[in-house]
Amino acid sequence: MSIINYQFIIYACPVGKLNSQIETYFNKSRELYGENSAHKYMPHCSLTGFFADELSSIPTYIQALNKAYIEAENNLSVDIEIKQLSFRENWHGLELQAEGLKQLMFNFTRIETSTTRQEVIRIKDWLHLSLAYDFDRRHSAELKNLALEIIALKAKVDWELCFYQKNADWTWTCLKTWSLV
């Protein structure tokens, strides 16, 4: 009998006015220019790559994330700084900086002890929040203008550390969140 592995990932997700602006951008960009790959996700910054494991491993990950979070609360600044709104040929989004959050993820991978996961958890080095990618290049200028019209980099935003399960049908189950304020 084979074990079914589930997909997990850790995100930093915006909460507040900036998140509302990004959701508005997603809705208008889909309506005006069609769906692109960013529409498959909620607004987020990936802190890890996807990793597969059994459902029974969830408490192990939550416990390790909680311990790393508490260590970070006591010893690190986990502030997320929005560096800039960038528009590349195949990608539009917010470039972020958060060295303390990277350290929190490193500590998480040091602490966690799942014996059923097959691969190493990959920590993301380039922190960003995607607004659009894999889009029809003919719409690049319009998508850029829409982002500049809707998204204010100085908008109020708080962040949450989120442990998600990606379901086979591309729905998401948030397993636990921690406030990053």
Side-chain angles (χ1 to χ4, degrees), residues 38-141:
H39 292 115
K40 294 179 182 176
Y41 302 87
M42 72 294 298
H44 74 280
C45 169
S46 297
L47 300 175
T48 67
F50 285 104
F51 53 97
D53 209 337
E54 299 173 14
L55 286 180
S56 62
S57 69
I58 292 171
T60 301
Y61 292 115
I62 289 174
Q63 184 178 33
L65 274 166
N66 197 56
K67 186 171 182 181
Y69 174 80
I70 290 168
E71 283 180 9
E73 247 186 348
N74 296 330
N75 302 311
L76 299 170
S77 166
V78 291
D79 291 344
I80 297 174
E81 179 185 353
I82 299 172
K83 297 300 286 180
Q84 64 187 4
L85 188 51
S86 294
F87 303 98
R88 299 181 183 173
E89 185 177 344
N90 296 318
W91 178 85
H92 295 177
L94 302 173
E95 296 203 45
L96 309 172
Q97 184 170 335
E99 295 308 312
L101 202 49
K102 287 181 184 180
Q103 184 63 46
L104 187 156
M105 287 293 93
F106 174 78
N107 290 345
F108 160 70
T109 60
R110 181 181 47 80
I111 294 167
E112 73 80 22
T113 59
S114 174
T115 58
T116 52
R117 189 184 66 255
Q118 300 295 312
E119 74 270 348
V120 172
I121 296 176
R122 294 174 296 114
I123 300 172
K124 296 291 186 167
D125 190 48
W126 178 46
L127 299 183
H128 62 279
L129 188 153
S130 296
L131 297 174
Y133 62 101
D134 296 335
F135 50 84
D136 184 332
R137 290 187 191 168
R138 294 174 298 175
H139 299 304
S140 183

Side-chain angles (χ1 to χ4, degrees), residues 16-57:
K17 188 154 182 79
L18 180 65
N19 184 62
S20 297
Q21 291 173 353
I22 295 167
E23 290 282 0
T24 298
Y25 170 84
F26 279 178
N27 292 335
K28 285 190 176 183
S29 65
R30 180 186 292 117
E31 175 187 322
L32 295 171
Y33 309 110
E35 191 155 307
N36 66 68
S37 293
H39 292 115
K40 294 179 182 176
Y41 302 87
M42 72 294 298
H44 74 280
C45 169
S46 297
L47 300 175
T48 67
F50 285 104
F51 53 97
D53 209 337
E54 299 173 14
L55 286 180
S56 62
S57 69

